[in-house]
Amino acid sequence: MSGLRPGAVLPPLEIEITRTLIVAGAIASRDYQDVHHDAEWARRRGSPDIFMNILTTNGLVGRYVTDHFGPAAVLRKVAIRLGAPNHPGDTMVLTGTVEEVDGDTATVRVVGANGIGRHVTGTVTVTVPGGGRRPRGAA
């Protein structure tokens, strides 16, 4: 089955949003803004709790696409926009649809939603040598 055709739908991916994921993602991306690790500061700034930064979301979107297309997939461009924040205790569900294909390169529309709305929307341009999805069970 080839996943590199317009209209192909990627299976959804559920990601549990934990305090550890939010803080670790912020630290890994060197984003030391208090709203990503200090709940009291986040509340002072009008948020009910800490929330995920865009760089962590960007990484999760890239992971979603490369997990689907396999280890040979190469991300060429990730263009995302944030909406509803991801807080500890949320579950974000990523979904994707291949919008267009040019040879072994595809543009995938990705949406990540949580209980209060769309957390992320955007597109990922990915090159997939061989043009398809890796077989199930392949390492």
Side-chain angles (χ1 to χ4, degrees):
M1 159 175 51
S2 173
L4 206 59
R5 60 175 172 67
V9 176
L10 284 64
L13 174 65
E14 289 189 11
I15 299 172
E16 297 299 319
I17 307 302
T18 64
R19 190 167 302 278
T20 300
L21 175 62
I22 293 169
V23 173
I27 291 169
S29 59
R30 296 182 175 181
D31 183 348
Y32 304 116
Q33 288 291 317
D34 49 31
V35 295
H36 303 308
H37 65 85
D38 187 320
E40 181 57 35
W41 272 104
R43 282 190 284 278
R44 286 183 193 162
R45 295 193 178 202
S47 179
D49 204 339
I50 63 172
F51 54 90
M52 184 174 284
N53 72 353
I54 192 170
L55 297 171
T56 303
T57 299
N58 196 66
L60 292 171
V61 166
R63 168 196 160 197
Y64 174 59
V65 172
T66 58
D67 278 1
H68 177 74
F69 288 109
V74 177
L75 298 178
R76 299 295 179 190
K77 180 179 179 182
V78 178
I80 62 172
R81 175 172 289 199
L82 293 184
N86 271 337
H87 295 287
D90 288 341
T91 298
M92 178 174 65
V93 179
L94 290 166
T95 56
T97 305
V98 176
E99 288 192 326
E100 56 186 76
V101 176
D102 182 10
D104 62 357
T105 300
T107 301
V108 181
R109 164 82 39 203
V110 176
V111 174
N114 61 33
I116 59 174
R118 288 184 172 184
H119 170 68
V120 61
T121 56
T123 58
V124 176
T125 303
V126 59
T127 298
V128 185
R133 184 172 183 203
R134 67 181 176 191
R136 285 204 181 266

